[in-house]
Amino acid sequence: MPEGVQAIAYQRNIEVLVSKLRRRQIVGSRRAALETLLVLRQVVSKARFSNIEQLVEIIHSAGRRLVEAQPKEFSVGNTVRKVLHHIREEYRTAAKKAPEDTALSISKLVYQGQPRRRGVAPKSEMDVDLKEDDPDDPDSFARSLKPVLMEAIQDVFDELETVYDSISKSAKDHIHSDEIILTIGQSTTVESFLKAAAHYRNFTVIVAETGPSYRGHGMAQSLSEAGISTFLVPDSSIYAIMSRVSKVILGAHAIIANGGMFAVTGSLLAATAAQAHSAPVVVCAGQFKITPLWNLYQDYSALDFSDPSSVLGFEEGNLVDKVDVINPYYDYVRPDLVHAYITNDGDHPPTSIYRLIKETYNDEDIEL
Amino acid sequence: MALTELIEKSSAGTMFELSGVLDKGTQQLTDRIPNSISLNAGCELFNLFVTVATHDLGSLSDFKDKLVRQGNRYIAEAALYSEKIAGFTNGFVKDGSVILTHSYSRVVMKALLHAHKRKRISVYVTEAKPRGLGLKTYETLTAAGIPCTVVLDSTVAYVMDKVDFVLVGSEAVVESGGLINATGSNQIAIIAKHANKPFYALAESFKFRRLFPLSQYDLPTHGPGVLPFPRHIPEAPPAPLINGQPLVDEFKDAMFPVSISTGSWTQKSMSAEQVALNPEVDYTKPDLISLVISDVGILTPEGVSHYLVGMFAG
């Protein structure tokens, strides 16, 4: 591990973000992803390393700290993985190494079936002389590689910044005129998606209140301000109105490798009701929410729990010690309940999410 | 299974001549071993490798040497695959899981023993008639200290509600993403689907097979010899219907002339000939399988088809 003032400087950055994540001062997957990226940029720019392994190790350890701080904010880990993937790609282009050694073997043949890794377009054609582990000048490697890496990180950053726009781009292909759309909660992605579609189409949105946070209220307000005809309904009537709904559009907290997702509570209710009425369920989410995780702990323990006071406050004092109140924040929605994911990386059925994961992240980085 | 042996043999075959010999060797192996599905998968892979490798062929003897070397190396690597699969599977096992498995499979055993080191698991294993390989699983697991109970093949539906997930091995995984495995896997998968329990298949990548069965009867193992109806029904003496009990017995005796007639009907069992008419493997459709766990990663059934297409066409 590098020592010295610079190292301490970025360690402090990490600590700040860690405690922010712990205290839930950063909520929302995109925000967390952005903050993570900023810290990683600091880390890369300040870190001292003389070969790629050292750099990867530095980022791994930083990533591990962040993920442990808030293991249920999956986008943090995803961002770290994505940055690592980019760094590896850049290094490979810069070092002009053949992507894989070309010697044939049977096991290689088997791997041909694997989804091709997506090459990241190289940032610069410069002919840097990469001297790894140069004993005379240990910084030379870092010096020559850093500008490229910073650009790579900037790319990830730009992608995150524009994620809503790029998802909304396809909005008018998914929403037709006179459709009745049900949504739940307040997902910025869904919000911008619907607003983008409203430029081209006339449709109606039914927003469920989404208790106990009632973020549906804000969503309904924002949509109707944008000139979309909007109805706000209580959660309990989702099933009853589903027969009139032509499409369910949901946001996601995280999409996992088997094609299932974590989404705000009530999503499972809406998705199940939609299945009963054969209404398609479409999920809008940025690619940074795709998490290389199988539904390992899909039950109870995977869900984040929030403050029970919104369900049963202290005003009901004499009840408080008689009942256990749980207020799970997310639902796990099984892959067979979702019909399509709309991401900034194109539209995908739940069954090919695992392929996106193979393409986006390196296998070595899945375990941070 | 018999694959490693096969590659050894077929790579020896290349020493003598080339693909003609290889084909012949494959044919011989296929003929000799009654259950050729997973064997064929290995053959296909090796043949493909030979064809692809021909592109950068130098001199013939060099090439043969190379093939043998590669073959041997693959055998060595393949031995590690089940370890890798066991590692992947471990992630799906929760502490205190109850697992249902079918018959005996080496990968499944490895995975279960691996999981046992870290978590508390208990296992139901089907008896898997007619070979009764489930008992072998039972013995191995019990010896390792895993609580294990053998269930009758006909009791799977009864036990399914107590099970957290189903874990089976495979003879082969086919292009549709479906699974070929010892008979009974299909019915377990159907019951698991009905009970909403995950059904995981473990398969090393050399078991990926380029086949596209649409039904049970498209399997290479299916033939006219599997479950035929008798050409002519043995004449049962037309007994009067008033005599209830004796009629049944007599009728059955006529239908199954070989079964042990001990007088009491309950003790009868199928004769060896009758058993031989039953298929050894069945085909499980991809929509019943939750995930295929293989050494190249955890795949959805659709993923397997992508994979096979990439492998044989790319």
Side-chain angles (χ1 to χ4, degrees):
Chain A
M1 283 304 286
E3 302 291 331
V5 188
Q6 289 177 323
I8 292 166
Y10 77 69
Q11 291 289 6
R12 191 176 303 135
N13 274 324
I14 296 176
E15 289 310 316
V16 169
L17 180 56
V18 162
S19 48
K20 270 191 189 164
L21 282 169
R22 278 229 175 97
R23 296 185 200 129
R24 301 276 174 100
Q25 282 170 336
I26 295 178
V27 209
S29 15
R30 179 163 167 273
R31 229 184 108 225
L34 278 174
E35 297 280 344
T36 311
L37 203 54
L38 286 176
V39 168
L40 285 184
R41 184 153 70 174
Q42 291 277 331
V43 170
V44 174
S45 69
K46 301 248 173 75
R48 298 182 60 181
F49 50 92
S50 55
N51 59 33
I52 189 79
E53 284 81 24
Q54 280 181 18
L55 175 62
V56 167
E57 177 48 37
I58 290 170
I59 298 179
H60 261 231
S61 68
R64 214 175 300 131
R65 294 271 305 126
L66 294 173
V67 170
E68 277 165 11
Q70 187 48 269
K72 282 162 189 173
E73 198 63 83
F74 299 105
S75 62
V76 173
N78 295 344
T79 314
V80 176
R81 286 181 198 110
K82 181 138 195 185
V83 167
L84 276 170
H85 175 69
H86 278 251
I87 287 178
R88 283 180 205 268
E89 288 288 322
E90 290 301 338
Y91 167 69
R92 206 171 282 149
T93 0
K96 295 201 194 64
K97 282 214 175 132
E100 273 145 48
D101 60 305
T102 43
L104 266 169
S105 80
I106 301 181
S107 51
K108 285 265 167 47
L109 193 69
V110 176
Y111 270 96
Q112 279 198 339
Q114 199 159 34
R116 307 284 191 278
R117 247 174 242 315
R118 185 168 322 164
V120 178
K123 291 293 131 355
S124 60
E125 313 303 321
M126 63 172 193
D127 283 317
V128 280
D129 234 359
L130 283 181
K131 281 193 227 102
E132 275 193 71
D133 300 318
D134 190 343
D136 306 324
D137 184 7
D139 286 337
S140 77
F141 175 72
R143 213 166 38 233
S144 48
L145 199 57
K146 258 179 193 169
V148 202
L149 296 184
M150 297 316 281
E151 269 184 72
I153 293 180
Q154 186 59 39
D155 258 24
V156 184
F157 196 78
D158 291 343
E159 193 189 319
L160 271 179
E161 292 271 274
T162 58
V163 69
Y164 296 140
D165 294 338
S166 31
I167 294 175
S168 307
K169 234 183 275 163
S170 60
K172 68 172 190 297
D173 303 329
H174 288 280
I175 295 176
H176 310 293
S177 288
D178 300 325
E179 272 204 299
I180 299 178
I181 289 162
L182 181 110
T183 185
I184 191 163
Q186 187 170 28
S187 151
T188 327
T189 323
V190 175
E191 200 179 315
S192 61
F193 187 81
L194 291 173
K195 281 179 183 166
H199 292 305
Y200 305 93
R201 310 262 192 256
N202 246 327
F203 56 92
T204 308
V205 180
I206 300 175
V207 185
E209 278 190 313
T210 329
S213 66
Y214 298 108
R215 296 197 55 195
H217 293 184
M219 179 75 156
Q221 194 164 18
S222 146
L223 288 178
S224 60
E225 271 165 16
I228 303 172
S229 95
T230 310
F231 294 91
L232 185 68
V233 298
D235 298 337
S236 46
S237 61
I238 286 181
Y239 193 89
I241 54 164
M242 193 55 83
S243 57
R244 304 182 56 108
V245 169
S246 60
K247 197 168 279 164
V248 177
I249 298 185
L250 301 174
H253 171 64
I255 301 170
I256 58 180
N258 67 352
M261 64 155 182
F262 291 111
V264 70
T265 24
S267 301
L268 181 58
L269 171 68
T272 318
Q275 193 190 38
H277 287 97
S278 298
V281 176
V282 176
V283 177
C284 297
Q287 196 220 25
F288 63 93
K289 288 179 179 171
I290 299 181
T291 311
L293 177 95
W294 297 86
N295 55 344
L296 309 186
Y297 307 106
Q298 54 170 270
D299 306 321
Y300 215 53
S301 50
L303 311 171
D304 209 354
F305 292 92
S306 61
D307 174 16
S309 68
S310 49
V311 181
L312 187 79
F314 279 102
E315 311 85 70
E316 325 234 12
N318 51 354
L319 257 181
V320 167
D321 55 348
K322 297 196 186 82
V323 289
D324 285 331
V325 182
I326 40 172
N327 179 12
Y329 199 72
Y330 299 118
D331 272 346
Y332 169 69
V333 182
R334 293 193 313 275
D336 53 313
L337 294 174
V338 179
H339 290 86
Y341 286 104
I342 302 174
T343 69
N344 47 337
D345 194 26
D347 309 341
H348 301 278
T351 45
S352 50
I353 293 296
Y354 87 96
R355 216 153 59 112
L356 285 185
I357 287 174
K358 281 232 173 207
E359 285 171 3
T360 331
Y361 308 121
N362 276 52
D363 290 344
E364 299 92 327
D365 304 329
I366 287 182
E367 202 70 39
L368 277 175
Chain B
M1 305 237 177
L3 164 98
T4 32
E5 192 190 344
L6 155 84
I7 291 186
E8 233 161 13
K9 277 186 188 167
S10 47
S11 57
T14 49
M15 297 284 274
F16 304 128
E17 272 242 24
L18 226 73
S19 63
V21 181
L22 202 65
D23 281 349
K24 223 194 233 163
T26 313
Q27 196 55 48
Q28 259 177 13
L29 272 168
T30 318
D31 293 344
R32 207 171 303 157
I33 293 168
N35 184 7
S36 59
I37 291 180
S38 61
L39 184 90
N40 264 330
C43 292
E44 259 173 22
L45 182 64
F46 195 78
N47 273 331
L48 176 73
F49 175 65
V50 173
T51 341
V52 171
T54 328
H55 297 314
D56 59 347
L57 151 102
S59 87
L60 198 63
S61 60
D62 273 2
F63 177 56
K64 283 175 191 165
D65 262 7
K66 209 167 123 193
L67 280 183
V68 175
R69 251 201 333 274
Q70 291 289 354
N72 285 329
R73 204 167 86 197
Y74 191 69
I75 296 170
E77 283 173 16
L80 299 175
Y81 287 167
S82 53
E83 303 271 344
K84 211 169 158 192
I85 294 176
F88 282 137
T89 316
N90 190 39
F92 289 86
V93 181
K94 267 188 295 185
D95 196 26
S97 291
V98 179
I99 302 165
L100 174 70
T101 182
H102 180 55
S103 192
Y104 180 86
S105 145
R106 273 182 255 177
V107 221
V108 174
M109 295 313 291
K110 255 227 174 98
L112 289 176
L113 294 174
H114 184 83
H116 175 59
K117 281 181 211 143
R118 289 159 186 79
K119 285 152 186 166
R120 283 162 291 188
I121 55 169
S122 24
V123 177
Y124 284 117
V125 58
T126 55
E127 183 193 12
K129 279 260 185 183
R131 295 178 68 193
L133 280 173
L135 293 168
K136 190 172 167 193
T137 310
Y138 169 75
E139 277 162 20
T140 322
L141 292 182
T142 312
I146 301 175
C148 180
T149 301
V150 186
V151 298
L152 284 171
D153 296 325
S154 45
T155 317
V156 172
Y158 183 92
V159 89
M160 190 56 82
D161 279 344
K162 291 190 162 194
V163 166
D164 288 316
F165 62 90
V166 183
L167 200 64
V168 298
S170 56
E171 287 291 333
V173 175
V174 294
E175 219 172 345
S176 58
L179 176 75
I180 301 177
N181 196 24
T183 33
S185 301
N186 190 27
Q187 65 193 32
I188 294 177
I190 293 170
I191 295 168
K193 178 82 174 178
H194 188 262
N196 249 335
K197 306 282 175 169
F199 182 91
Y200 301 130
L202 307 187
E204 296 99 325
S205 55
F206 54 73
K207 285 184 177 164
F208 289 3
R209 174 88 204 269
R210 243 193 141 189
L211 268 180
F212 207 112
L214 296 172
S215 74
Q216 304 294 338
Y217 316 117
D218 298 329
L219 297 182
T221 48
H222 183 79
V226 173
L227 292 180
F229 285 113
R231 193 77 54 81
H232 47 86
I233 298 168
E235 292 281 329
L241 275 167
I242 325 143
N243 244 352
Q245 195 51 42
L247 164 80
V248 172
D249 249 9
E250 253 176 275
F251 179 65
K252 294 285 184 187
D253 276 342
M255 277 294 287
F256 306 99
V258 255
S259 47
I260 326 131
S261 299
T262 48
S264 115
W265 173 245
T266 45
Q267 286 185 8
K268 284 181 186 174
S269 58
M270 284 168 89
S271 71
E273 293 85 61
Q274 283 172 328
V275 170
L277 295 181
N278 279 274
E280 278 198 6
V281 292
D282 63 11
Y283 167 61
T284 308
K285 285 192 191 153
D287 55 325
L288 301 176
I289 301 169
S290 314
L291 291 171
V292 176
I293 304 175
S294 82
D295 53 279
V296 289
I298 303 160
L299 304 168
T300 52
E302 285 86 348
V304 175
S305 20
H306 287 154
Y307 219 98
L308 271 163
V309 170
M311 213 161 104
F312 285 92

